[in-house]
Amino acid sequence: MLSKTDFMHLMIKLKVISNMCINDNEIVATNGNVMSIGTLQNGIGQKLLLSPSLANEIIKDFADDDKIKITIKDTKIIIWNDNLKIESNMQNGEYPLYNQLLPQSDDNRTIKINKAELLKNLDIMSLVVEYAKPVIKMIFKNDNTLTMETKDGQTVMSIENCTFAEPFEIYFNVHFLISALKSTNGEFVYIQLNQPLSAAVLKSESQSRAYR
């Protein structure tokens, strides 16, 4: 069973799913720019690929449901609730090694940020990014400040747990980051950083995970 927590909210915001898979108790979806990982209440004990058409059908048909159920029967996967059932054949293909794209756990690179404050600053920065390239630079400093800047503007806000020896710079598409943040719950979010050109992990307080 999959609860409609951060994962389902972010799936809806992704709008078009290009890849989706299940790894025992994790369900993973991406649109090529943002990857979302949710947790199944009961694992299925195997790895499965889901077709993009099935993934997008889930978004369309189950967007308003609090919970959906997933059943594996022979060579079929069944997505259902009390009112609707979708069946699809299992997909053949190479299973994506999505965990290799993500930074390994490191508390020294995990930053705690007030979500409302971060969204407020990102909304400001979204007004000064280039239309064709809506990218901002984020600079994390060990004085527990986060600077966001483009060539046309800058904001500075407070953060927690920043212990970097040197300022850490990373670039984000501001619109993707806003969408991921709006899908999370709780007062705070946690950003786990790796390298400037590597994926960063965005975690809500409930520990459902959204990735960029």
Side-chain angles (χ1 to χ4, degrees), residues 10-27:
L10 188 54
M11 277 187 64
I12 294 167
K13 289 181 180 295
L14 294 181
K15 296 182 180 179
V16 177
I17 303 297
S18 58
N19 290 285
M20 191 171 179
C21 61
I22 297 176
N23 180 12
D24 188 18
N25 67 338
E26 286 190 331
I27 184 166

Side-chain angles (χ1 to χ4, degrees), residues 49-116:
L49 294 174
L50 282 70
S51 68
S53 60
L54 175 60
N56 290 292
E57 195 69 23
I58 293 171
I59 293 176
K60 182 179 72 175
D61 293 337
F62 295 100
D64 296 327
D65 296 311
D66 290 331
K67 294 181 179 179
I68 59 174
K69 298 177 182 179
I70 300 174
T71 301
I72 307 301
K73 185 176 181 180
D74 298 325
T75 60
K76 292 186 178 294
I77 180 169
I78 305 168
I79 312 293
W80 60 284
N81 61 16
D82 293 337
N83 301 312
L84 181 66
K85 180 172 72 174
I86 299 175
E87 291 190 18
S88 176
N89 292 324
M90 294 185 189
Q91 298 293 299
N92 295 319
E94 185 175 349
Y95 189 82
L97 301 176
Y98 60 90
N99 281 319
Q100 294 184 0
L101 302 175
L102 308 173
Q104 299 301 308
S105 179
D106 184 348
D107 290 340
N108 292 329
R109 287 186 176 269
T110 300
I111 312 300
K112 182 180 180 180
I113 306 179
N114 180 282
K115 185 177 74 172

Side-chain angles (χ1 to χ4, degrees), residues 15 30 34 42 57 82 93 115 143 146 156 164 170 181 196:
K15 296 182 180 179
T30 179
V34 178
N42 299 298
E57 195 69 23
D82 293 337
K115 185 177 74 172
D143 61 355
L146 167 60
V156 181
F164 298 156
I170 190 169
L181 283 167

